[in-house]
Amino acid sequence: MRIGAHVDPAEPLAEAAARGADLVQFFLTDPQAWADPKDRPDAEALIASDVDVYIHAPYRINVASSNNRIRIPSRKLLFRHAAAAAKVGAKGLIVHGGHVEKAEGRDAGFDNWRKTFAFAAEEGGFATPILIENTAGGDNACARRFDALARLWDAIGEYEVGFCLDTCHAHAGGEDLLDIVDRVKAITGRIDLIHANNSRDGFDSGRDRHDNLTAGEIDPELIVSVIRSAGAPALVETPGGTEGQTADITYLRERLA
Ligand SMILES: [Zn+2]
């Protein structure tokens, strides 16, 4: 089972080595900015490395939005990040499911997701596999509650789309972790990556605050069993820097051994 961490983008391979990580995830730009990614000087080293690379798209991206001024730049930024992620040999580009501004606009939101993949298909498809991640908050999210996730997949299922399951987001978003792998796979048919995080907040709180695996509100054994039954690579997006994340990786390796 391959285990890793979300790390600072400056020197991801050094960060991986410091944690004994099999895979790393990082941002190519400031996640809060509308910025195009630049070529990375370590691209060849990242491609040549045994460490698997995942790229997380900026938080600003919301291709579901009914607002043209958000949706159009979001789509462009997603394309550009997929192209840049391919240049570092990324196995996936993780992007949040997004949301619509008003509940009645959700059908349009799912259709905006479909159009995103349809436009990409016209250009030969995304350069890197897109993994849509479930989110923790909001009433009009496309991938918080699984009734919405099912409708999203009805809209985009004809395209090759991956899924990233975040355990903190599921718990805080109000989806029970006990049988979650089966419930996800019944919708998406796949889980490509687990974001293995504990949550500082309660079930269905709608809050997105990650915690270390043996801290927080989720029974950590439940997180382990999600990874085991998904059979997918996992990475922690937990606090505490090298020390905190190394402890989380070690915890997972010991339990999954
Ligand atoms: Zn996550």
Side-chain angles (χ1 to χ4, degrees):
M1 206 73 89
R2 292 178 73 76
I3 309 287
H6 180 92
V7 300
D8 186 276
E11 291 185 79
L13 292 176
E15 303 286 354
R19 290 161 177 76
D22 306 310
L23 52 118
V24 284
Q25 171 185 280
F26 52 92
F27 294 114
L28 292 175
T29 59
D30 174 351
Q32 304 294 352
W34 293 104
D36 287 342
K38 296 189 179 81
D39 284 342
R40 290 185 60 100
D42 59 355
E44 277 182 41
L46 287 163
I47 289 168
S49 168
D50 291 336
V51 174
D52 293 334
V53 172
Y54 291 85
I55 299 298
H56 201 301
Y59 297 128
R60 290 279 177 128
I61 289 179
N62 181 16
V63 300
S65 177
S66 50
N67 182 343
N68 290 343
R69 292 183 181 181
I70 296 172
R71 186 178 66 257
I72 305 301
S74 290
R75 204 180 275 163
K76 278 186 190 152
L77 207 54
L78 189 62
F79 290 165
R80 286 173 188 164
H81 271 72
K87 289 186 184 174
V88 296
K91 294 194 124 170
L93 174 64
I94 293 94
V95 60
H96 286 178
H99 64 276
V100 292
E101 288 72 12
K102 291 179 183 155
E104 59 269 27
R106 204 141 56 156
D107 284 340
F110 298 130
D111 199 50
N112 286 333
W113 261 116
R114 184 193 61 74
K115 285 179 187 161
T116 299
F117 285 103
F119 286 133
E122 282 173 24
E123 307 287 322
F126 281 105
T128 300
I130 303 294
L131 312 185
I132 296 179
E133 178 178 3
N134 62 313
T135 52
D139 290 328
N140 303 322
C142 296
R144 172 182 177 177
R145 300 190 198 284
F146 287 2
D147 57 336
L149 185 67
R151 291 170 65 198
L152 173 59
W153 240 262
D154 284 345
I156 63 175
E158 69 186 276
Y159 300 100
E160 185 76 17
V161 187
F163 187 71
C164 172
L165 175 64
D166 188 306
T167 53
C168 168
H169 297 175
H171 166 87
E175 292 291 340
D176 200 332
L177 289 174
L178 207 55
D179 56 351
I180 199 161
V181 170
D182 289 342
R183 291 192 297 120
V184 169
K185 285 192 173 173
I187 294 168
T188 65
R190 59 197 279 178
I191 295 176
D192 299 84
L193 181 68
I194 303 284
H195 281 172
N197 304 308
N198 212 316
S199 170
R200 290 195 201 183
D201 301 289
F203 184 78
D204 208 17
S205 60
R207 301 194 66 187
D208 183 4
R209 296 193 305 160
H210 298 186
D211 209 344
N212 294 104
L213 296 186
T214 54
E217 297 282 317
I218 306 171
D219 174 358
E221 293 292 346
L222 207 45
I223 298 172
V224 173
S225 73
V226 167
I227 297 170
R228 188 180 287 124
S229 71
L235 62 88
V236 301
E237 298 170 308
T238 50
T242 307
E243 201 181 328
Q245 292 189 335
T246 302
D248 285 334
I249 290 170
T250 303
Y251 174 83
L252 290 178
R253 287 228 176 88
E254 284 173 1
R255 296 300 189 288
L256 289 164

